[in-house]
Amino acid sequence: MTDKIKVGDYLIIQRQKYTKLQKFNNLNTTVNLGKDQIELRLAENHPYCTTFHLVPKQERGRRLYTLDALSTPSEIRNLKELLIKESGNDNRNIIDDRQSQTLSTEEILKLREECESSSEVIGKLVENSKSFATKTEYSQEKYLKRKEKKYFEYITIRRPSIRLLTDIYWRLDPEKVLGVRFDTLSQIISYSGVCSVGNYLLYESGTNGLLPAAMLNSIGAETGGKLVHLHPGNVAQKQALFAMDYPAEQQARCVSVNIYSVLRHFYQDREGAKENDAQEPVVAEAKENETLEPVVAKAEDSTDGERTEEVNGTSKRKHEETQDGTADDEPEAKQLKVDKQKQAWELENEAAAMDYPAEQQARCVSLKVDKQKQAWELENEAAASIMRERFDSLVIVAKEHPYSILKALLPFVKPSRPVVIFSTCREILTESYVDMKAEASVTYLRVTSNWMRQYQILPNRTHPDVTMSGSSGYLLTGYTIGN
């Protein structure tokens, strides 16, 4: 992880309070902010948190900009100091008749093309406004802020963080992160006790990788902590994990597997181990029988020989001669047969290699591929090995009803360890609460909800935000009980 912007990194593009996640795929990458297109070519090798000035390119019909890095953020002009020279006492005499601005729409568009900076455009708008000077200072600030938001010409490129990613996902669509707001995410991390040591189990059914990224961030780099990330689909959602750009060794300690596949793999391995343990005494008995068989056979041969001696001595000699003859001939006959088969197999291979070399090579490659294990099988083995050690925490964030998932995963959690379940519906957690109380497998059960309120902090006008989210879901927490 470097402190400079590189091709292939995920970037947070910030323009005033607006933020956007963008991947810097190549030098020709552009980012769209409203109707503006911004080329990111000149951002390479600049440090993160650098502020850039948007320089317009002369292309008709397109609002295309390139970047020019600012040496200090103080270069950004303060419009309040530049344009507010006098203000009125109140707005009672101002009439909104849509005629206070003398410039037409065509003239304003022409100004945007001719002026080098947005402050010049806003200055022209203020000069041609009939009512700006009579507004109160507070109304003038609101007017400038609104125009600055529209014509602002600076962006800041920041490194992705869990807080920024959570805000971006929540603003775009809360359902894409299952309704997990950043305050609820912090509560999940706190209740689950994720730290740099131990094994942690997470099931989530679609948060764009936000939950595993947050838990892996709490585990940290170059530590002993491990995370098993279970998901219901074929491929895990990992955009937030990729955006955080963790070191390779830290990413390797997060194993993402399908929940059904890994549970089947775990229980099949356990049944196979039980069968092997059951077969061990049978194999030992078979070995004992193999050692006893020659002794018994030898004793039987000696008794038969004595009987034949009593009957007729010549028959004994004939029997021994024929037995010796067949014993000597058998190895030679077997060796000849094996040599013939080997020669025939070698001839067939040589002929096939001479006639069809491409097919022969393809056959060999397919055999090698069949012998190699696929990536998901290796991940299942890695996850199953951690599951045998058992986990120090269990977190479930699911669209579906969590109780069946909880019953399947609870045996893998050590005693006296936290369990955290998130859902946007209180009734679902209430049902799980009653069932868990009846089973007595988890104690100290609590259903909680966060209520967060953001405030605007400004001189003489501090108040809660007018628009804000009401609820960010509910948490069911508890601690496991050992058998």
Side-chain angles (χ1 to χ4, degrees):
M1 186 183 294
T2 60
D3 293 330
K4 292 189 176 182
I5 300 168
K6 299 288 184 186
V7 174
D9 291 351
Y10 279 86
L11 311 175
I12 300 289
I13 312 296
Q14 182 175 359
R15 188 179 190 176
Q16 292 186 315
K17 292 184 179 180
Y18 178 77
T19 51
K20 182 176 183 178
L21 180 65
Q22 177 71 35
K23 187 176 182 182
F24 192 11
N25 288 312
N26 50 57
L27 293 175
N28 297 322
T29 301
T30 60
V31 57
N32 295 322
L33 296 180
K35 296 181 180 179
D36 300 334
Q37 280 190 332
I38 303 167
E39 294 181 350
L40 299 178
R41 178 188 298 272
L42 299 178
E44 190 182 16
N45 294 326
H46 282 283
Y48 281 99
C49 295
T50 301
T51 301
F52 295 90
H53 177 240
L54 301 181
V55 181
K57 293 182 76 173
Q58 299 299 327
E59 289 194 20
R60 294 184 62 83
R62 294 181 66 190
R63 289 161 60 174
L64 189 64
Y65 299 88
T66 58
L67 300 178
D68 182 23
L70 300 181
S71 56
T72 57
S74 60
E75 293 182 30
I76 300 175
R77 299 167 185 172
N78 190 344
L79 295 177
K80 181 180 175 181
E81 296 176 359
L82 289 173
L83 300 175
I84 298 180
K85 296 173 183 177
E86 58 177 345
S87 55
N89 295 324
D90 53 46
N91 297 331
R92 69 178 69 184
N93 296 322
I94 297 175
I95 300 171
D96 187 11
D97 56 359
R98 304 286 180 179
Q99 294 179 0
S100 59
Q101 182 57 252
T102 58
L103 294 175
S104 63
T105 306
E106 291 78 13
E107 290 172 335
I108 294 172
L109 291 174
K110 191 176 180 181
L111 271 177
R112 294 192 67 173
E113 293 177 0
E114 292 175 353
C115 294
E116 294 181 357
S117 64
S118 62
S119 56
E120 292 181 17
V121 179
I122 298 172
K124 293 286 185 183
L125 293 174
V126 170
E127 288 175 10
N128 290 276
S129 176
K130 297 177 183 178
S131 60
F132 184 79
T134 57
K135 291 181 178 180
T136 61
E137 186 178 356
Y138 171 58
S139 298
Q140 288 174 342
E141 286 181 18
K142 284 184 69 176
Y143 178 86
L144 291 177
K145 190 179 290 185
R146 190 167 63 249
K147 296 302 178 185
E148 190 180 23
K149 184 179 180 181
K150 186 174 182 180
Y151 301 108
F152 196 69
E153 55 185 352
Y154 300 97
I155 64 167
T156 302
I157 297 181
R158 303 176 64 180
R159 186 194 297 278
S161 65
I162 297 297
R163 172 63 185 265
L164 288 173
L165 290 174
T166 310
D167 287 341
I168 290 170
Y169 287 137
W170 176 265
R171 188 189 70 249
L172 290 176
D173 187 1
E175 292 184 1
K176 289 189 176 180
V177 287
L178 301 183
V180 178
R181 203 169 51 196
F182 67 87
D183 57 316
T184 308
L185 179 62
S186 63
Q187 291 289 305
I188 291 172
I189 299 298
S190 177
Y191 278 125
S192 60
V194 180
C195 60
S196 59
V197 293
N199 302 328
Y200 303 96
L201 183 59
L202 165 68
Y203 173 83
E204 58 95 15
S205 55
T207 61
N208 279 318
L210 185 62
L211 262 296
M215 294 183 72
L216 201 60
N217 185 66
S218 298
I219 290 171
E222 297 180 359
T223 59
K226 296 177 184 176
L227 174 66
V228 175
H229 170 213
L230 304 179
H231 57 89
N234 294 327
V235 180
Q237 296 181 6
K238 290 186 176 182
Q239 188 183 32
L241 271 172
F242 295 147
M244 289 300 295
D245 192 23
Y246 292 122
E249 64 86 19
Q250 189 175 356
Q251 289 188 11
R253 286 185 280 115
C254 175
V255 185
S256 299
V257 289
N258 178 276
I259 182 172
Y260 311 108
S261 177
V262 73
L263 288 176
R264 183 169 59 248
H265 181 90
F266 176 83
Y267 287 115
Q268 284 177 353
D269 279 2
R270 194 170 70 173
E271 290 175 3
K274 285 182 180 178
E275 289 177 2
N276 292 336
D277 293 340
Q279 285 177 359
E280 280 181 3
V282 177
V283 171
E285 268 184 41
K287 286 184 179 179
E288 288 178 4
N289 292 338
E290 284 177 4
T291 54
L292 290 172
E293 276 178 4
V295 178
V296 174
K298 197 171 183 182
E300 287 178 356
D301 290 343
S302 62
T303 53
D304 291 339
E306 287 175 3
R307 287 173 186 169
T308 51
E309 279 180 1
E310 291 174 3
V311 176
N312 193 357
T314 56
S315 63
K316 178 184 175 183
R317 284 195 298 274
K318 287 180 183 178
H319 177 70
E320 287 176 355
E321 286 174 3
T322 54
Q323 196 173 12
D324 293 337
T326 54
D328 293 333
D329 292 342
E330 275 178 4
E332 293 178 3
K334 285 181 180 178
Q335 187 64 33
L336 287 170
K337 193 174 182 182
V338 168
D339 290 339
K340 286 179 181 178
Q341 289 176 352
K342 190 176 180 181
Q343 287 174 2
W345 181 77
E346 288 175 354
L347 288 170
E348 286 176 3
N349 281 350
E350 287 175 5
M354 288 170 65
D355 294 338
Y356 310 104
E359 291 181 8
Q360 190 74 14
Q361 290 176 4
R363 230 175 268 151
C364 295
V365 169
S366 64
L367 287 171
K368 287 180 182 177
V369 169
D370 290 339
K371 290 179 181 178
Q372 291 176 354
K373 290 186 177 179
Q374 296 183 9
W376 64 270
E377 292 177 322
L378 297 173
E379 289 173 350
N380 279 348
E381 290 178 0
S385 65
I386 302 173
M387 290 167 76
R388 293 187 195 98
E389 300 173 10
R390 303 179 79 186
F391 295 95
D392 296 291
S393 178
L394 171 62
V395 178
I396 298 174
V397 180
K399 295 177 184 176
E400 55 270 29
H401 201 293
Y403 186 66
S404 58
I405 301 167
L406 177 69
K407 284 188 69 176
L409 300 181
L410 203 57
F412 300 103
V413 186
K414 297 175 184 176
S416 303
R417 296 301 192 273
V419 175
V420 183
I421 305 172
F422 171 84
S423 178
T424 53
C425 184
R426 183 179 58 186
E427 287 73 20
I428 289 176
L429 294 187
T430 306
E431 291 175 8
S432 302
Y433 176 93
V434 173
D435 293 336
M436 291 163 73
K437 272 280 189 183
E439 287 191 359
S441 56
V442 180
T443 187
Y444 198 69
L445 290 167
R446 295 288 183 275
V447 179
T448 59
S449 174
N450 287 330
W451 191 77
M452 186 192 66
R453 197 168 192 179
Q454 292 182 334
Y455 280 78
Q456 170 187 291
I457 308 297
L458 288 172
N460 300 322
R461 48 187 187 275
T462 296
H463 59 79
D465 283 351
V466 177
T467 57
M468 57 185 177
S469 57
S471 174
S472 176
Y474 302 87
L475 291 176
L476 173 60
T477 59
Y479 291 87
T480 56
I481 300 174
N483 295 325

